Amino acid sequence: MISAEYLAYRIGTSTAVLACVSVLTFGMMYLTPGDPARAVLYHQTGQQPSAEAVAAFRAEHGFDDPFPIRYWHWITDVVQRDLGESYRTGRPVSTMIVDALPATIELAIAAMAVALVIAIPTGVASAVYRGTWIDQASQLFALVGVSMPNFWLGYLLIIVFALHLGLAPVSGTGGLSHLVLPAIALGTGMAAIVTRLVRTSMLDVLDAEYVDAARAKGTAERIVVYKHALRNALIPVVTVVGLQFGFVLNGAVVIEIVFQRPGLGMMLVDAIFARDFPVVQGVVLIVAVLFVVTNLLVDLSYRVLDPRVQFGGEHA
Amino acid sequence: MVSRDTPLLSVENLETHFDTAVEPVRAVDGASFTVDPGEVVGLVGESGSGKSVTARSIVGLESPGEIVGGSIRFDGTDLTDVDDRIRRQHRGDRIGMVFQDPTATLNPVFDVGEQIAEALRIHDVDRQRLTDFMHVPFVSDRQAWRDHRERAIELMEQVDIADPGSRAGDYPHEFSGGMAQRAMLAIALAGDPDLLIADEPTTALDTTTQATILERLDSLAATGETAVLLVTHDLGIVAERCDRVVVLYGGQVMESGPTEQVLTAPEHPYTRDLLECLIDDAEPQTRLSTIEGTVPDRFDEIGCPFASRCDYATAACRTSDPPIVDPGPDHRVVCGELETVPDAHVMDGANRSTRSEPTDGHAGSDRPPGNERERRVASASRTGDGTAAILAARNLSKRFETTDSWVDRLRGNRRYLDAVEDVSVSVERGQTLGIVGESGSGKSTVVDMLVGLEAPTSGRVELDGNPVGTVADRSAEQLAKVGVVFQHTRGSINPRATVRDVIAEPLFESGWDADRRTDRVDELLELVDLSPTHADRRRHQLSGGQLQRVAIARALALEPAVVVLDEPVSALDVSNRAKILNLLLDLQEQLGLTYVVVSHDLSVVGHVADEVLVMYAGQVMERGPTETLFDRPSHPYTNALLDAIPSVSGDTPAASLPGSVPSAVDPPSGCRFHMRCPLAEPECRSETPSMEAVDDARSRCHFASEIAADSDDDSEPLEHISPDTFS
């Protein structure tokens, strides 16, 4: 079983990773060209701000302090769940994230679902019917899927299904119908990668002696494939799917722009253009937290998937 | 029901081919044989003779091969002529199968109980629904699931798995090899089959465990309900367990008939060669006979497949198919030159060394077949307490900590595993020390400490009389002095490296330049009888015997004085085993090497070693000169190991040793062996015996001298070892 000790160890290392991420995100903003004070004031007033106004803004937000001090102020607030306020709107960043996060998570999960629903059966069929047209077709899909940029696929889907066929709304949020096209646009690339992985993993497992042993019992081929082989083949797949979740969040940023879906992605892009640093830092940090937590969950899920994995003990 | 008059299984002219880019490999090429109801038939041959593919073809697991000809009649149905569904229904239901490596044949992600229950479920349902097999909540039949689980536990009990109720929930990696093979047997028996096919069921197991599994198969056949097709390369097993034997080579049957007849009066040259490879009656430390050449990848389409390796082959053997001869009732031999083959000799060992010609090259072919041992033993100090010892261990102990969490550690709840306790050994220059014991006896840990891969918890290792630490502390000179051949040869060789790179690695590490490396590798290849063409091959292009030679060459690269060999032949078939043992003996003579040979098989150790150390549960049970241990064992465990060796010339089958090595975390009180000892008295449970001298051996048993005296005047329990061999 997963010991409390192992959990403590993993949470410790995860925290260390997040600490590094926080320094990097904060530092990157520091190095970005363009003075946030000017950008924000320009945005608010619509004209070039006066030198006094800029100086006042910089003083108010502590821009003139040295980096370690600024970082210290920011991080001590962050651990108290205060991500600061947006320079532009003055709204707390945490509130903004809480508002935008569900839409992005919804998109990411839908995309993952699309990817897995396509990839697992395709990958399995590809391995089972190795060398046949089914295998070739699925390999072709994997190649095309992985080569296609998701924003391009997004526009393609909008043109075909929303504009020409009128089967789905072009953009915005709402019910399930608003989710279908973005999820497909985002999920296809991942589906392609996972298909290839499931295929390779299944081919390995289908060669294993225990698969023949299962057949020797008189087990129907369907059960051999979906119970005995797939369960083992999914072990490496889970790692990659977990890692891919980070890339899906990444892709969600682009897809949210393409489909004009409000979410973390749109929030981030707007904030970057406006030099709205607290928002950018907050979003990046939250994405990093999601990424680290997903990976932790993936590692812990090994214990469930693979009884041979032991955590924390010296002897397996 | 099965009719008693006709064969249960009749394989006729079976041809199973594997497609390759060049031309198909004819793995099974016209094999024919039958199995009667309730009969035990042995299917024997070297690795690559087609026996496994034949067995797998019967159950329809020949893929990626393809059955291209012949028929497999099982109880009236031709299995090559029915659709996949019917074939599948025969699997498990009518024909059960047990495979070679039990740890690889159980699915790692399901508990053992589930895997047995599944086999039961298959036979209870007409249609196999995925949901029932995946245990989907609310959809699957929970009651049926519980029933099958209960019956699975009953089956586990039937195959002698202790505490089946709790072990059913264990996963395969928590099972020992022997236990896992029992679980496989339970699966195979779940459908109450008429035929059980066992494909090398004990090759991966200890000798003592082997006997237990074979006894189980025997008792199964004894009920008359189940026939057994036993696929093996070991004729000793066939001699003891089979009613009839079928000898396969090149995918064709060379000889078949009643075991007694085939093994005592073998007709076919191949059968004779196989028999002569056995260590059985061979003079210790002499060359064993081998079969010339190796099994080729492809055989010619016409002619006898064995012609290329046969001593009696004529031009006719190569150009036309050999005739079938019937030398006796139910005895068939496929050979055209039986007249020229000298009369079948009785396998009494008399003719043995006369026809043993070195087949693999130059090394030591002029070695006299005489009594090597006597000479060497005479020159050596028998006590081995080590003034002249080149490698010695003084009171070695190794304790591993198994405390799982640091919370427990802080609380002081520490748990330990004493893998090795107070072991002292020494080996003198030019001598061979054998270490023998079952899995879990601690022999590999002793080896790890000797070669410096593990640091002893207490005690020390001495090389040339100087204390040495682990590999990190040893000087280059000390490192070069000890060569190691690791247990799983295939795993110890980098799959991407060429043979040349593998052998040159130790040279590279000690800074030899490229030219000298090339020369040395060429020299080493010659030394181990590999041709220069092997230098550019990689792991997957080599046979088991060739890989072992590469591993030996690597161990010899830096001209070591001592070579430590961990199970050097346990993965090899009889003919390769004989060749590697011959090679080792030749190299020892040629280079004056000192060996430490570790094996679970006492017959191997007995053949090569001057002194033997018998280990059990981390302790030495007995140690002494090899003859003494074989002739007058003074410990019941040594007795049990001797009794477990299958033998062609024995009258009584190998005896099993019930139970298994106890856990080192919680060792038994008193004598470690008392729980499995047939002679245990109450005092054995409470008092730990110390090492007592019995003649020139030392034994850790309260009754050591009685046992030794007993085995001296009453040779009954040791009869199959043929005491005269050692006299």
Side-chain angles (χ1 to χ4, degrees):
Chain A
M1 272 320 287
I2 299 163
S3 65
E5 181 187 355
Y6 178 75
L7 216 57
Y9 165 75
R10 285 305 308 266
I11 290 171
T13 52
S14 302
T15 313
V17 168
L18 288 176
C20 292
V21 170
S22 70
V23 174
L24 286 175
T25 42
F26 199 83
M28 254 183 306
M29 286 289 104
Y30 195 69
L31 296 172
T32 322
D35 185 349
R38 273 178 200 287
V40 170
L41 291 173
Y42 177 81
H43 187 84
Q44 279 171 354
T45 57
Q47 54 189 337
Q48 283 300 330
S50 66
E52 293 78 37
V54 170
F57 187 91
R58 292 181 65 92
E60 185 196 338
H61 291 95
F63 284 14
D64 298 324
D65 294 335
F67 176 77
I69 296 194
R70 288 177 63 191
Y71 175 73
W72 178 251
H73 284 310
W74 179 69
I75 199 71
T76 44
D77 286 346
V78 165
V79 294
Q80 295 170 61
R81 286 183 296 171
D82 178 7
L83 293 169
E85 282 102 40
S86 161
Y87 294 156
R88 283 192 299 165
T89 61
R91 286 185 68 206
V93 175
S94 44
T95 317
M96 291 171 71
I97 288 175
V98 167
D99 287 347
L101 192 60
T104 303
I105 298 268
E106 183 185 74
L107 175 60
I109 290 176
M112 298 263 290
V114 166
L116 294 182
V117 163
I118 296 173
I120 292 177
T122 316
V124 169
S126 190
V128 170
Y129 301 102
R130 179 186 197 173
T132 64
W133 67 268
I134 297 177
D135 187 18
Q136 282 158 7
S138 97
Q139 297 256 65
L140 185 69
F141 159 75
L143 183 67
V144 172
V146 86
S147 336
M148 214 159 31
N150 52 19
F151 61 88
W152 181 80
L153 179 63
Y155 284 122
L156 193 75
L157 290 172
I158 291 174
I159 292 167
V160 175
F161 291 98
L163 299 180
H164 283 286
L165 299 175
L167 291 175
V170 173
S171 63
T173 46
L176 207 57
S177 59
H178 283 90
L179 195 56
V180 175
L181 294 186
I184 292 174
L186 185 52
T188 302
M190 182 161 147
I193 293 169
V194 177
T195 300
R196 298 186 80 144
L197 190 69
V198 170
R199 176 180 184 272
T200 319
S201 184
M202 273 299 275
L203 284 176
D204 264 0
V205 170
L206 285 172
D207 264 351
E209 194 74 353
Y210 56 75
V211 168
D212 268 347
R215 290 193 180 113
K217 291 183 195 175
T219 317
E221 195 59 24
R222 193 176 61 257
I223 291 166
V224 171
V225 170
Y226 283 99
K227 180 179 175 180
H228 290 273
L230 184 60
R231 173 75 189 274
N232 281 284
L234 284 183
I235 294 169
V237 174
V238 168
T239 323
V240 173
V241 168
L243 289 173
Q244 286 283 318
F245 189 73
F247 295 100
V248 168
L249 285 175
N250 222 351
V253 173
V254 178
I255 292 298
E256 279 172 2
I257 308 286
V258 171
F259 287 91
Q260 289 297 301
R261 280 174 59 88
L264 277 190
M266 281 202 36
M267 201 171 120
L268 181 64
V269 173
D270 288 350
I272 289 170
F273 283 122
R275 303 283 185 279
D276 195 349
F277 287 178
V279 176
V280 176
Q281 286 156 355
V283 172
V284 171
L285 200 63
I286 286 298
V287 171
V289 168
L290 285 174
F291 196 84
V292 168
V293 168
T294 323
N295 273 294
L296 181 60
L297 291 177
V298 166
D299 284 357
L300 296 181
S301 74
Y302 284 151
R303 182 63 184 85
V304 181
L305 275 174
D306 188 349
R308 286 165 297 185
V309 175
Q310 297 273 331
F311 294 122
E314 275 177 57
H315 289 273
Chain B
M1 256 342 276
V2 178
S3 145
R4 294 265 144 190
D5 311 327
T6 53
L8 174 68
L9 173 76
S10 164
V11 174
E12 262 163 66
N13 294 319
L14 181 68
E15 289 178 42
T16 305
H17 292 184
F18 287 81
D19 244 342
T20 65
V22 198
E23 55 169 325
V25 171
R26 298 187 304 276
V28 184
D29 195 18
S32 304
F33 60 92
T34 59
V35 179
D36 287 339
E39 194 184 26
V40 183
V41 174
L43 193 58
V44 293
E46 291 165 280
S47 307
S49 60
K51 55 191 195 305
S52 237
V53 181
T54 305
R56 294 174 83 98
S57 298
I58 296 167
V59 280
L61 294 178
E62 69 280 1
S63 172
E66 203 186 338
I67 297 177
V68 294
S71 65
I72 301 169
R73 289 203 163 273
F74 181 82
D75 197 19
T77 312
D78 184 354
L79 295 178
T80 60
D81 198 34
V82 292
D83 63 27
D84 285 348
R85 208 174 60 88
I86 308 272
R87 241 182 137 183
R88 194 191 81 219
Q89 282 167 356
H90 274 83
R91 286 206 286 267
D93 219 358
R94 307 288 313 272
I95 309 176
M97 178 126 185
V98 176
F99 298 81
Q100 175 167 353
D101 182 358
T103 51
T105 41
L106 288 169
N107 193 325
V109 302
F110 299 107
D111 70 35
V112 171
E114 163 61 20
Q115 301 192 46
I116 302 171
E118 186 186 63
L120 291 161
R121 193 171 309 122
I122 288 163
H123 304 294
D124 280 0
V125 295
D126 292 332
R127 207 177 141 263
Q128 299 178 21
R129 284 169 48 214
L130 191 59
T131 48
D132 288 339
F133 283 80
M134 302 277 262
H135 309 304
V136 182
F138 308 114
V139 182
S140 311
D141 183 345
R142 290 186 60 82
Q143 189 53 47
W145 186 85
R146 275 191 216 104
D147 292 347
H148 288 130
R149 186 90 180 175
E150 261 167 47
R151 280 169 57 201
I153 292 171
E154 281 166 29
L155 267 174
M156 288 173 75
E157 205 167 348
Q158 278 175 35
V159 294
D160 305 322
I161 296 177
D163 193 15
S166 73
R167 301 243 52 191
D170 283 352
Y171 287 88
H173 70 274
E174 295 165 291
F175 270 55
S176 68
M179 283 298 147
Q181 195 62 300
R182 276 169 232 239
M184 275 311 291
L185 199 57
I187 290 171
L189 297 179
D192 205 2
D194 300 310
L195 173 66
L196 183 72
I197 299 177
D199 186 0
E200 300 271 12
T202 58
T203 309
L205 306 177
D206 278 343
T207 328
T208 48
T209 317
Q210 161 168 297
T212 336
I213 297 282
L214 292 175
E215 265 172 22
R216 196 80 199 83
L217 291 180
D218 245 10
S219 63
L220 199 67
T223 62
E225 299 292 318
T226 309
V228 178
L229 181 64
L230 184 61
V231 180
T232 178
H233 68 264
D234 190 342
L235 282 166
I237 292 176
V238 171
E240 293 181 348
R241 311 286 172 182
C242 298
D243 302 318
R244 272 193 317 119
V245 55
V246 176
V247 181
L248 213 61
Y249 186 79
Q252 300 177 22
V253 175
M254 299 284 102
E255 182 163 4
S256 69
T259 306
E260 173 98 32
Q261 207 171 340
V262 173
L263 296 191
T264 51
E267 294 283 344
H268 199 284
Y270 183 59
T271 316
R272 294 180 179 197
D273 284 357
L274 274 183
L275 274 165
E276 287 181 350
C277 292
L278 296 178
I279 298 175
D280 246 33
D281 291 335
E283 192 71 32
Q285 298 192 341
T286 55
R287 296 182 58 87
L288 296 163
S289 352
T290 58
I291 309 177
E292 196 168 340
T294 51
V295 182
D297 295 338
R298 280 193 175 73
F299 294 92
D300 290 333
E301 210 154 338
I302 299 168
C304 173
F306 190 57
S308 61
R309 299 171 69 191
C310 183
D311 291 342
Y312 309 102
T314 60
C317 293
R318 296 188 178 87
T319 50
S320 62
D321 286 340
I324 300 173
V325 187
D326 291 353
D330 198 30
H331 189 173
R332 285 160 42 120
V333 182
V334 184
C335 182
E337 295 294 327
L338 280 186
E339 284 93 81
T340 60
V341 178
D343 265 352
H345 46 263
V346 180
M347 304 303 292
D348 61 359
N351 295 4
R352 288 234 147 177
S353 6
T354 54
R355 192 221 153 245
S356 62
E357 255 355 274
T359 48
D360 39 5
H362 69 286
S365 46
D366 53 347
R367 188 189 172 96
N371 241 339
E372 211 67 43
R373 169 179 308 222
E374 243 93 307
R375 183 173 57 73
R376 290 211 271 142
V377 169
S379 69
S381 141
R382 290 237 174 171
T383 49
D385 59 334
T387 37
I390 182 161
L391 183 66
R394 308 261 174 240
N395 309 97
L396 277 189
S397 292
K398 180 69 192 179
R399 164 174 277 198
F400 292 105
E401 181 158 2
T402 58
T403 318
D404 277 341
S405 80
W406 49 258
V407 181
D408 277 344
R409 240 168 256 180
L410 287 177
R411 286 199 197 125
N413 275 344
R414 287 165 177 257
R415 284 189 298 146
Y416 298 102
L417 183 157
D418 287 307
V420 171
E421 260 182 87
D422 195 23
V423 170
S424 297
V425 294
S426 63
V427 55
E428 280 149 48
R429 198 175 285 278
Q431 295 275 298
T432 299
L433 170 74
I435 303 180
V436 69
E438 293 166 280
S439 313
S441 61
K443 55 191 193 306
S444 288
T445 312
V446 169
V447 164
D448 285 350
M449 290 189 283
L450 285 178
V451 302
L453 291 173
E454 289 277 2
T457 312
S458 65
R460 65 177 192 274
V461 176
E462 286 173 7
L463 191 58
D464 266 341
N466 305 314
V468 284
T470 58
V471 280
D473 306 324
R474 294 189 185 185
S475 68
E477 194 194 340
Q478 286 171 333
L479 285 173
K481 209 158 208 165
V482 182
V484 189
V485 174
F486 292 98
Q487 179 172 7
H488 300 288
T489 315
R490 200 164 282 276
S492 78
I493 289 175
N494 183 344
R496 283 172 193 85
T498 62
V499 165
R500 180 174 294 283
D501 296 340
V502 170
I503 298 176
E505 203 188 342
L507 303 171
F508 183 81
E509 292 297 331
S510 36
W512 291 41
D513 64 43
D515 286 345
R516 280 180 72 209
R517 286 205 302 268
T518 309
D519 291 347
R520 178 68 180 146
V521 171
D522 290 341
E523 224 172 272
L524 287 163
L525 284 172
E526 202 183 319
L527 206 57
V528 298
D529 294 316
L530 285 173
S531 79
T533 55
H534 285 115
D536 301 321
R537 301 210 187 156
R538 289 185 169 77
R539 190 177 81 177
H540 66 274
Q541 294 163 308
L542 298 171
S543 70
Q546 289 166 338
L547 280 172
Q548 201 63 41
R549 284 167 199 269
V550 173
I552 292 169
R554 176 171 61 182
L556 293 177
L558 294 170
E559 300 188 343
V562 184
V563 181
V564 177
L565 303 119
D566 197 354
E567 300 280 6
V569 294
S570 64
L572 303 176
D573 67 22
V574 280
S575 67
N576 276 310
R577 182 170 71 185
K579 284 178 190 166
I580 294 294
L581 290 178
N582 286 349
L583 174 71
L584 291 175
L585 290 172
D586 290 343
L587 289 170
Q588 182 165 43
E589 169 135 312
Q590 211 178 331
L591 307 172
L593 294 171
T594 306
Y595 287 144
V596 176
V597 176
V598 178
S599 178
H600 67 265
D601 188 343
L602 196 45
S603 65
V604 169
V605 167
H607 185 70
V608 295
D610 301 292
E611 195 184 4
V612 177
L613 194 71
V614 179
M615 287 193 67
Y616 184 79
Q619 292 182 336
V620 177
M621 291 290 120
E622 183 172 3
R623 84 182 240 218
T626 311
E627 309 110 287
T628 314
L629 253 70
F630 273 70
D631 289 348
R632 294 192 54 176
S634 53
H635 197 285
Y637 184 57
T638 315
N639 254 329
L641 290 178
L642 285 168
D643 287 348
I645 304 171
S647 158
V648 173
S649 48
D651 303 328
T652 47
S656 63
L657 178 62
S660 54
V661 181
S663 157
V665 176
D666 187 18
S669 63
C671 173
R672 292 270 160 100
F673 187 58
H674 81 255
M675 286 145 80
R676 299 167 75 193
C677 182
L679 308 172
E681 297 286 335
E683 59 176 294
C684 299
R685 205 169 308 141
S686 50
E687 283 168 48
T688 311
S690 54
M691 289 295 274
E692 305 271 351
V694 182
D695 293 340
D696 51 356
R698 295 173 71 80
S699 169
R700 194 187 289 275
C701 178
H702 293 305
F703 310 106
S705 36
E706 285 96 317
I707 294 168
D710 194 41
S711 48
D712 223 11
D713 40 67
D714 181 9
S715 63
E716 185 58 32
L718 297 172
E719 200 177 21
H720 60 275
I721 317 264
S722 335
D724 56 57
T725 313
F726 301 102
S727 53

